[in-house]
Amino acid sequence: HEGKWLTEPEKLLKQTKRFWDAGWNLHTHVNGDKGLDVVLGITEKLAPRNGQDIVMEHLGYSTEAQNRRIGEMGLYVSAQPNYIRILGDTYAKTGLGPDRAAQMNRLGSLERKGVPLGLHSDFNMAPIDPLYLAWVASNRITLDGNAKAPKERLSLDKALRAVTIEAAQVIGLDAMVGSIATGKKADFTVLDKDPYVVGAAKLRDVKVQGVLFEGRWFPAK
């Protein structure tokens, strides 16, 4: 519960600067608030450059103050919402304690701060199922059926954006995919129900009927 890192801060600073100065986008795996303090401190030392993005990957536990820094710094987040679903009750008993465990995945906080946000499955740690991820993020219900920190739920619209256009932003492909617009690939998914009609509570029940990918129709099996 005290937090450990795989890369010592001084080494991480050198690695980060090396890739940043070479023109790369940065995606940093960080799960705890102590580690996030280190990553944000390093990020603040980087010279701003046009066309380079910085993404916090996973972001299992962060404080409200850290989320505010993320928003003010213009960073992106690629979140794994299954932390609250899979680990919310377990970490309440062992590790983080009930208060902090309930606050994992502060995605509602990030939404209120206007942070571009994508949701990922971290396969094979969780199923590759975007609508399920959106359901978890917008409901925050644990495996035992307990609702955790409802103020940290994503809105339905933000949850859907986080598996479409904002997910594309996070990986730097929003000029090509993520929404239907002139000049983009006409890739899209056909669902059996309108998510905006069924609502957040039933997102995981929406079925994919098929996808149109690069001009070809692929029905769901």
Side-chain angles (χ1 to χ4, degrees):
H1 66 280
E2 293 179 354
K4 299 290 184 182
W5 33 66
L6 297 177
T7 306
E8 293 295 326
E10 289 186 4
K11 185 175 183 180
L12 181 63
L13 173 60
K14 292 179 181 178
Q15 292 178 346
T16 300
K17 286 183 63 65
R18 177 186 178 190
F19 283 99
W20 184 252
D21 292 342
W24 290 78
N25 293 336
L26 301 178
H27 290 249
T28 303
H29 179 295
V30 58
N31 260 327
D33 53 331
K34 188 174 182 179
L36 183 56
D37 266 342
V38 171
V39 174
L40 294 178
I42 288 174
T43 302
E44 288 175 333
K45 296 177 182 179
L46 302 177
R49 298 174 187 272
N50 291 329
Q52 281 177 263
D53 297 326
I54 299 176
V55 182
M56 304 292 106
E57 293 282 350
H58 290 350
L59 203 70
Y61 181 76
S62 61
T63 67
E64 178 70 13
Q66 289 173 328
N67 281 1
R68 186 172 61 251
R69 288 176 70 189
I70 289 173
E72 291 171 348
M73 294 167 69
L75 309 182
Y76 294 171
V77 170
S78 176
Q80 216 294 35
N82 264 305
Y83 285 118
I84 196 65
R85 172 101 172 130
I86 305 297
L87 300 173
D89 290 323
T90 301
Y91 278 16
K93 299 173 184 176
T94 306
L96 290 175
D99 184 57
R100 290 202 297 165
Q103 298 293 327
M104 288 192 293
N105 295 127
R106 290 179 188 259
L107 305 185
S109 168
L110 293 171
E111 178 179 2
R112 290 187 289 273
K113 292 165 179 57
V115 176
L117 172 67
L119 301 178
H120 66 259
S121 68
D122 198 21
F123 182 76
N124 57 4
M125 301 300 292
I128 302 176
D129 188 340
L131 290 171
Y132 173 75
L133 294 175
W135 174 82
V136 172
S138 58
N139 290 277
R140 296 182 62 85
I141 298 173
T142 67
L143 287 177
D144 291 337
N146 300 313
K148 299 288 186 177
K151 287 188 177 181
E152 295 302 333
R153 292 171 178 161
L154 284 184
S155 68
L156 173 60
D157 188 65
K158 182 71 169 182
L160 293 172
R161 289 178 61 85
V163 294
T164 53
I165 184 59
E166 293 192 22
Q169 284 181 269
V170 165
I171 60 174
L173 294 178
D174 50 309
M176 183 185 303
V177 295
S179 64
I180 302 299
T182 301
K184 292 188 177 185
K185 288 187 174 182
D187 298 342
F188 58 86
T189 303
V190 177
L191 307 176
D192 70 338
K193 302 178 186 69
D194 183 345
Y196 289 97
V197 172
V198 302
K202 295 184 178 181
L203 269 180
R204 64 175 174 172
D205 299 326
V206 177
K207 304 299 183 184
V208 175
Q209 291 188 327
V211 296
L212 194 75
F213 177 68
E214 294 186 349
R216 296 177 61 196
W217 172 248
F218 293 89
K221 295 181 179 179

